[in-house]
Amino acid sequence: MLSRFIGRTKLLTDLNELITEHRLVTLTGTGGAGKTRLAAEIAGTVFVELATIGQPDLLELRVAEVLRDRTGRETVLVLDNCEHLRDAVADLVVRLLDGAPSLKIVATSRERLGVPGERVLVVPPLDVPPSDGPMSTACESVALLADRAPDWQLTAANWPDVVRLLHRVAGLPLAVELAAVRLRAMPLPEVVKRLDDQIRLLTRNDRVALPHHRTLRAVIDWSHDLCTPSEQQLWAQISVFAGGWDLAAAEAVSDNENVLDDLAGLVAKSIVTFERDRYHLLEPLRQYGAERLGADRDAVLKPHLEHFAELVRRVSIGWIADPALIGVLRDELGNVEVALETSLSEPGRALELEFQLGRTHAAFFATGWPDQYRRLRRALKGGTGDHLHVEALAYAGSLALALGHVDESAELLAAAEQVDATFAGVIYLRGERRWLLQGDYGALADLREGRDRFEPERYEVCSVHVAMASVMLADVAEARATVSEFASLLDDAGANQIAAAGVLVAQGVLELRSGAPGRACDLLRQALERQRASGDQWGPVWAVEALAWATAATGNARRAARLLGASEAVQRLTGRSIAAHETFKQMRAQAVARARCPEYGREHAAGAALKSFDEVYADVFDEHDGPLTPAQLEVAKLVAAGLTNREIAARLHKSQRTVETQVQQIFAALGVHRRVMIAQRINVR
């Protein structure tokens, strides 16, 4: 090989260990994942390239030529690109291993050979850098891009484009190398801009490369040609999914009677990946499938919309009683987004779907408030003045208020009142505005009336607002009585944890008003613990802010300054804004005055610079262990123990993408670039 081998340290170690202990190892993986390049790194191999052999009867002649002079010697034979001759290769491998005791074989194929004694090592794409992580060449895909484009310079200015490029090509080594070739003749921003058509863009003129490796399209064509017609059809149909899918979703969009068998075939051929009950297509393969689907896309998107609209409806009705449904919805937010786009062709349907999604309070668990508001406003253009339309107007008004769009919130309330001012959502929005913007005690009556008119499953969550409004607007005695109505939520293991955490926030603010800031801090930390455990990304906007108030009241000015900055970080992460809320402004001004100290500017800036909820929680609870957050340290210990990202994800019940992001953050925080170095830095033996 003329090029330098980059990364893959753990994978190469695993391969060498397997070939030491076993006589047949098959490297499988998506086309372009680097199987051939990895096999070439095994010391003492004899290589036989099969891609250019079109007929099975030529196979034995080619292998015999290579092995002619190695009879009786220990040999590692690499049979490269076996997939199109799989049956013939399997038969030959059995005969070779039986007849040559000193022979070992490494095969590269997009699916296993199915030979007794075969060991399979999956070659995944390279790790890609996290979207919000610092610039680092520790990530293998970054290192490969930099190595293959020697005249191009990685800088802080072009780092965001580098990250977008590597995510778009899904870390496939071949695609990274082809992108590097493009960088010789095209500016990086232009390459990134054109990656929506990456299958055609990523081409190269390389006389050394095999024909099916010269373009990304040729690699994928090669995989496509190996599929059965029904597998090819399913590949095109599943290209409509975003962020993965499950078997039920695949069966919903396909009229194929053998969806399970064909999915299994696509998994076996390394086109589709399967992990923890979900299937995935790498982005280049998804684009290819979408191109093949062509004019049939609308026909597939219709059942896709029906399937995910029903999922949203089911979650909106049942999530309070069964919080696990939110996890199901969280996994499918990408597909829900696609369904929402499809629904725009039926304006009434779009509004219904958006409103049902709003009822699930999905934004509690994802930083998607601005996007949801934008989509809802778009869907409202097709409203017809019915019950759904007025409720959606009111819900959009609440979202606008949460996002700090005060004037838009007023316009939406006025529009809803013109249709029917007696609807629950309209009354509730009126109460929210009177409370947050005016500090009007009369808001409590509106909030209670709106809450009581809502369907029962929304009662607990709406009660959080009633409790918070009470502790900020009523006198202490009335507020204490109101909050005590919901205290039972704190001891009920089956209670909605979002609501329970909200009650703790209300109790904390009440204790602060009562002159007990230390007790307030304890309650607010308990609230944040529950919010962290439940994945709530809405409640911390209030809880961190209130903790800053209480901390300032204890006299710990430096800590309060940092928490005031952290509150701004949480608002940035969620898109929410409390700057226009009158009652909040009063409390914050008092806290800022108390937090003034020589270190105020530095501490506030440090808090405001926090980039994730993990960092915010680590800061709030002062849980740093050296440079790592607790979540990062947990992952680092498992990396040091030798677990792969996939194994860590399964152990910690996280997505593999989340673990990959955390590993890259650990590299950056520790200043290392190899997994084996992590154990040395965190003192794990």
Side-chain angles (χ1 to χ4, degrees), residues 147-181:
D147 184 80
R148 299 301 193 259
D151 297 328
W152 167 81
Q153 185 69 39
L154 175 65
T155 66
N158 65 27
W159 175 249
D161 277 337
V162 170
V163 173
R164 282 192 286 272
L165 183 153
L166 295 174
H167 277 267
R168 209 71 180 91
V169 301
L172 281 174
L174 176 62
V176 174
E177 295 207 25
L178 296 176
V181 172

Short mmCIF file of all heavy atoms in Angstrom, two decimals, residues 147-181:
data_model
loop_
_atom_site.label_atom_id
_atom_site.label_comp_id
_atom_site.label_asym_id
_atom_site.label_seq_id
_atom_site.Cartn_x
_atom_site.Cartn_y
_atom_site.Cartn_z
N ASP A 147 -4.41 13.59 6.62
CA ASP A 147 -3.30 12.85 6.01
C ASP A 147 -3.44 12.77 4.49
O ASP A 147 -2.45 12.86 3.76
CB ASP A 147 -3.23 11.45 6.60
CG ASP A 147 -2.04 10.67 6.08
OD1 ASP A 147 -0.92 10.88 6.59
OD2 ASP A 147 -2.22 9.84 5.15
N ARG A 148 -4.68 12.59 4.02
CA ARG A 148 -4.89 12.39 2.58
C ARG A 148 -4.98 13.71 1.82
O ARG A 148 -5.05 13.71 0.59
CB ARG A 148 -6.15 11.57 2.34
CG ARG A 148 -6.11 10.18 2.96
CD ARG A 148 -4.94 9.33 2.44
NE ARG A 148 -5.10 7.94 2.80
CZ ARG A 148 -4.48 7.34 3.80
NH1 ARG A 148 -3.61 8.04 4.55
NH2 ARG A 148 -4.69 6.07 4.07
N ALA A 149 -5.04 14.83 2.55
CA ALA A 149 -5.06 16.14 1.89
C ALA A 149 -3.91 16.98 2.45
O ALA A 149 -4.13 17.94 3.19
CB ALA A 149 -6.40 16.82 2.12
N PRO A 150 -2.67 16.63 2.11
CA PRO A 150 -1.50 17.25 2.75
C PRO A 150 -1.36 18.75 2.51
O PRO A 150 -0.75 19.46 3.31
CB PRO A 150 -0.33 16.48 2.15
CG PRO A 150 -0.85 15.91 0.87
CD PRO A 150 -2.30 15.62 1.11
N ASP A 151 -1.93 19.25 1.42
CA ASP A 151 -1.82 20.68 1.14
C ASP A 151 -2.95 21.50 1.75
O ASP A 151 -3.02 22.71 1.58
CB ASP A 151 -1.80 20.91 -0.39
CG ASP A 151 -0.59 20.27 -1.04
OD1 ASP A 151 0.46 20.20 -0.37
OD2 ASP A 151 -0.71 19.82 -2.19
N TRP A 152 -3.81 20.81 2.45
CA TRP A 152 -4.94 21.47 3.09
C TRP A 152 -4.67 21.58 4.59
O TRP A 152 -4.08 20.68 5.19
CB TRP A 152 -6.22 20.67 2.82
CG TRP A 152 -7.40 21.08 3.67
CD1 TRP A 152 -8.24 22.11 3.45
CD2 TRP A 152 -7.86 20.43 4.86
NE1 TRP A 152 -9.20 22.17 4.42
CE2 TRP A 152 -8.99 21.14 5.31
CE3 TRP A 152 -7.42 19.33 5.60
CZ2 TRP A 152 -9.69 20.79 6.46
CZ3 TRP A 152 -8.11 18.97 6.74
CH2 TRP A 152 -9.23 19.70 7.16
N GLN A 153 -5.09 22.67 5.21
CA GLN A 153 -4.77 22.92 6.62
C GLN A 153 -6.03 22.94 7.46
O GLN A 153 -6.98 23.66 7.16
CB GLN A 153 -4.04 24.27 6.75
CG GLN A 153 -3.56 24.58 8.16
CD GLN A 153 -2.42 23.66 8.59
OE1 GLN A 153 -1.55 23.34 7.80
NE2 GLN A 153 -2.44 23.25 9.84
N LEU A 154 -6.04 22.14 8.53
CA LEU A 154 -7.14 22.17 9.49
C LEU A 154 -6.96 23.37 10.41
O LEU A 154 -5.89 23.57 10.99
CB LEU A 154 -7.15 20.88 10.32
CG LEU A 154 -8.15 20.80 11.46
CD1 LEU A 154 -9.58 20.82 10.93
CD2 LEU A 154 -7.92 19.54 12.30
N THR A 155 -8.02 24.18 10.56
CA THR A 155 -7.96 25.36 11.41
C THR A 155 -9.24 25.45 12.25
O THR A 155 -10.24 24.78 11.97
CB THR A 155 -7.83 26.65 10.57
OG1 THR A 155 -9.04 26.83 9.81
CG2 THR A 155 -6.63 26.58 9.63
N ALA A 156 -9.18 26.31 13.25
CA ALA A 156 -10.38 26.54 14.07
C ALA A 156 -11.51 27.11 13.21
O ALA A 156 -12.69 26.83 13.44
CB ALA A 156 -10.05 27.48 15.22
N ALA A 157 -11.16 27.91 12.21
CA ALA A 157 -12.17 28.53 11.36
C ALA A 157 -12.90 27.51 10.49
O ALA A 157 -14.11 27.63 10.27
CB ALA A 157 -11.52 29.60 10.48
N ASN A 158 -12.16 26.51 9.97
CA ASN A 158 -12.83 25.55 9.09
C ASN A 158 -13.31 24.30 9.82
O ASN A 158 -13.88 23.39 9.21
CB ASN A 158 -11.95 25.18 7.89
CG ASN A 158 -10.67 24.45 8.29
OD1 ASN A 158 -10.59 23.76 9.30
ND2 ASN A 158 -9.64 24.60 7.45
N TRP A 159 -13.07 24.22 11.15
CA TRP A 159 -13.46 23.03 11.92
C TRP A 159 -14.96 22.72 11.78
O TRP A 159 -15.31 21.54 11.57
CB TRP A 159 -13.07 23.20 13.38
CG TRP A 159 -13.54 22.09 14.27
CD1 TRP A 159 -14.49 22.16 15.24
CD2 TRP A 159 -13.07 20.73 14.29
NE1 TRP A 159 -14.64 20.95 15.86
CE2 TRP A 159 -13.79 20.05 15.29
CE3 TRP A 159 -12.13 20.04 13.54
CZ2 TRP A 159 -13.59 18.71 15.57
CZ3 TRP A 159 -11.92 18.69 13.81
CH2 TRP A 159 -12.64 18.04 14.82
N PRO A 160 -15.89 23.69 11.88
CA PRO A 160 -17.31 23.34 11.73
C PRO A 160 -17.63 22.68 10.39
O PRO A 160 -18.43 21.74 10.33
CB PRO A 160 -18.01 24.70 11.87
CG PRO A 160 -17.08 25.52 12.71
CD PRO A 160 -15.71 25.11 12.26
N ASP A 161 -16.97 23.15 9.31
CA ASP A 161 -17.19 22.52 8.01
C ASP A 161 -16.62 21.11 7.96
O ASP A 161 -17.18 20.22 7.32
CB ASP A 161 -16.58 23.37 6.89
CG ASP A 161 -17.49 24.51 6.45
OD1 ASP A 161 -18.70 24.40 6.67
OD2 ASP A 161 -16.97 25.51 5.92
N VAL A 162 -15.48 20.91 8.62
CA VAL A 162 -14.89 19.57 8.69
C VAL A 162 -15.84 18.60 9.38
O VAL A 162 -16.08 17.48 8.91
CB VAL A 162 -13.53 19.60 9.44
CG1 VAL A 162 -13.03 18.19 9.72
CG2 VAL A 162 -12.50 20.37 8.62
N VAL A 163 -16.42 19.04 10.49
CA VAL A 163 -17.35 18.19 11.23
C VAL A 163 -18.56 17.85 10.37
O VAL A 163 -19.00 16.69 10.31
CB VAL A 163 -17.78 18.88 12.54
CG1 VAL A 163 -18.87 18.07 13.24
CG2 VAL A 163 -16.58 19.05 13.48
N ARG A 164 -19.11 18.85 9.68
CA ARG A 164 -20.26 18.60 8.82
C ARG A 164 -19.91 17.63 7.70
O ARG A 164 -20.69 16.72 7.38
CB ARG A 164 -20.78 19.92 8.24
CG ARG A 164 -21.62 20.73 9.23
CD ARG A 164 -22.36 21.87 8.53
NE ARG A 164 -21.45 22.94 8.17
CZ ARG A 164 -21.13 23.94 8.98
NH1 ARG A 164 -21.65 24.01 10.19
NH2 ARG A 164 -20.29 24.89 8.59
N LEU A 165 -18.75 17.80 7.11
CA LEU A 165 -18.32 16.90 6.04
C LEU A 165 -18.24 15.45 6.53
O LEU A 165 -18.77 14.53 5.90
CB LEU A 165 -16.97 17.35 5.49
CG LEU A 165 -16.38 16.58 4.30
CD1 LEU A 165 -15.46 17.49 3.49
CD2 LEU A 165 -15.59 15.35 4.73
N LEU A 166 -17.59 15.25 7.68
CA LEU A 166 -17.37 13.89 8.17
C LEU A 166 -18.66 13.23 8.62
O LEU A 166 -18.84 12.02 8.46
CB LEU A 166 -16.34 13.91 9.30
CG LEU A 166 -14.93 14.36 8.86
CD1 LEU A 166 -14.01 14.50 10.06
CD2 LEU A 166 -14.34 13.38 7.85
N HIS A 167 -19.58 14.02 9.16
CA HIS A 167 -20.89 13.46 9.51
C HIS A 167 -21.66 13.09 8.24
O HIS A 167 -22.36 12.08 8.20
CB HIS A 167 -21.69 14.46 10.34
CG HIS A 167 -21.35 14.43 11.80
ND1 HIS A 167 -22.04 13.66 12.71
CD2 HIS A 167 -20.37 15.05 12.51
CE1 HIS A 167 -21.52 13.82 13.92
NE2 HIS A 167 -20.50 14.66 13.83
N ARG A 168 -21.54 13.93 7.22
CA ARG A 168 -22.30 13.69 5.99
C ARG A 168 -21.85 12.41 5.29
O ARG A 168 -22.67 11.71 4.70
CB ARG A 168 -22.12 14.88 5.04
CG ARG A 168 -23.30 15.11 4.14
CD ARG A 168 -24.48 15.66 4.92
NE ARG A 168 -25.65 15.90 4.07
CZ ARG A 168 -26.61 15.01 3.84
NH1 ARG A 168 -26.57 13.84 4.40
NH2 ARG A 168 -27.64 15.31 3.08
N VAL A 169 -20.56 12.12 5.34
CA VAL A 169 -20.06 10.89 4.70
C VAL A 169 -20.04 9.73 5.68
O VAL A 169 -19.55 8.65 5.35
CB VAL A 169 -18.66 11.10 4.08
CG1 VAL A 169 -18.70 12.19 3.04
CG2 VAL A 169 -17.60 11.39 5.14
N ALA A 170 -20.57 9.96 6.91
CA ALA A 170 -20.76 8.90 7.91
C ALA A 170 -19.46 8.22 8.31
O ALA A 170 -19.47 7.08 8.76
CB ALA A 170 -21.76 7.86 7.39
N GLY A 171 -18.33 8.89 8.15
CA GLY A 171 -17.06 8.32 8.58
C GLY A 171 -16.54 7.20 7.72
O GLY A 171 -15.58 6.51 8.09
N LEU A 172 -17.13 6.97 6.55
CA LEU A 172 -16.63 5.91 5.67
C LEU A 172 -15.25 6.28 5.15
O LEU A 172 -15.08 7.33 4.52
CB LEU A 172 -17.58 5.71 4.48
CG LEU A 172 -18.84 4.90 4.73
CD1 LEU A 172 -19.72 4.93 3.49
CD2 LEU A 172 -18.50 3.46 5.10
N PRO A 173 -14.23 5.45 5.40
CA PRO A 173 -12.88 5.80 4.98
C PRO A 173 -12.76 6.12 3.48
O PRO A 173 -12.08 7.08 3.11
CB PRO A 173 -12.06 4.56 5.34
CG PRO A 173 -12.79 3.97 6.49
CD PRO A 173 -14.25 4.20 6.19
N LEU A 174 -13.42 5.34 2.65
CA LEU A 174 -13.34 5.61 1.22
C LEU A 174 -13.91 6.99 0.90
O LEU A 174 -13.32 7.76 0.14
CB LEU A 174 -14.09 4.54 0.43
CG LEU A 174 -14.16 4.78 -1.08
CD1 LEU A 174 -12.78 4.80 -1.71
CD2 LEU A 174 -15.06 3.76 -1.77
N ALA A 175 -15.06 7.32 1.50
CA ALA A 175 -15.67 8.61 1.25
C ALA A 175 -14.79 9.75 1.77
O ALA A 175 -14.69 10.81 1.15
CB ALA A 175 -17.05 8.67 1.90
N VAL A 176 -14.13 9.54 2.91
CA VAL A 176 -13.22 10.55 3.45
C VAL A 176 -12.06 10.77 2.49
O VAL A 176 -11.66 11.90 2.21
CB VAL A 176 -12.71 10.14 4.84
CG1 VAL A 176 -11.65 11.14 5.34
CG2 VAL A 176 -13.86 10.07 5.84
N GLU A 177 -11.50 9.67 1.98
CA GLU A 177 -10.38 9.80 1.04
C GLU A 177 -10.81 10.50 -0.24
O GLU A 177 -10.06 11.33 -0.80
CB GLU A 177 -9.81 8.41 0.74
CG GLU A 177 -9.19 7.74 1.97
CD GLU A 177 -8.11 6.74 1.61
OE1 GLU A 177 -7.50 6.90 0.53
OE2 GLU A 177 -7.85 5.83 2.41
N LEU A 178 -12.00 10.17 -0.73
CA LEU A 178 -12.47 10.83 -1.94
C LEU A 178 -12.72 12.31 -1.70
O LEU A 178 -12.47 13.15 -2.57
CB LEU A 178 -13.76 10.15 -2.42
CG LEU A 178 -13.63 8.68 -2.86
CD1 LEU A 178 -14.99 8.11 -3.21
CD2 LEU A 178 -12.68 8.54 -4.03
N ALA A 179 -13.22 12.65 -0.50
CA ALA A 179 -13.41 14.07 -0.16
C ALA A 179 -12.07 14.78 -0.12
O ALA A 179 -11.95 15.94 -0.54
CB ALA A 179 -14.13 14.19 1.18
N ALA A 180 -11.04 14.10 0.39
CA ALA A 180 -9.70 14.70 0.44
C ALA A 180 -9.19 15.01 -0.97
O ALA A 180 -8.55 16.04 -1.20
CB ALA A 180 -8.73 13.75 1.15
N VAL A 181 -9.50 14.13 -1.91
CA VAL A 181 -9.12 14.38 -3.31
C VAL A 181 -9.83 15.64 -3.82
O VAL A 181 -9.23 16.48 -4.50
CB VAL A 181 -9.47 13.17 -4.19
CG1 VAL A 181 -9.26 13.50 -5.66
CG2 VAL A 181 -8.62 11.97 -3.79
#
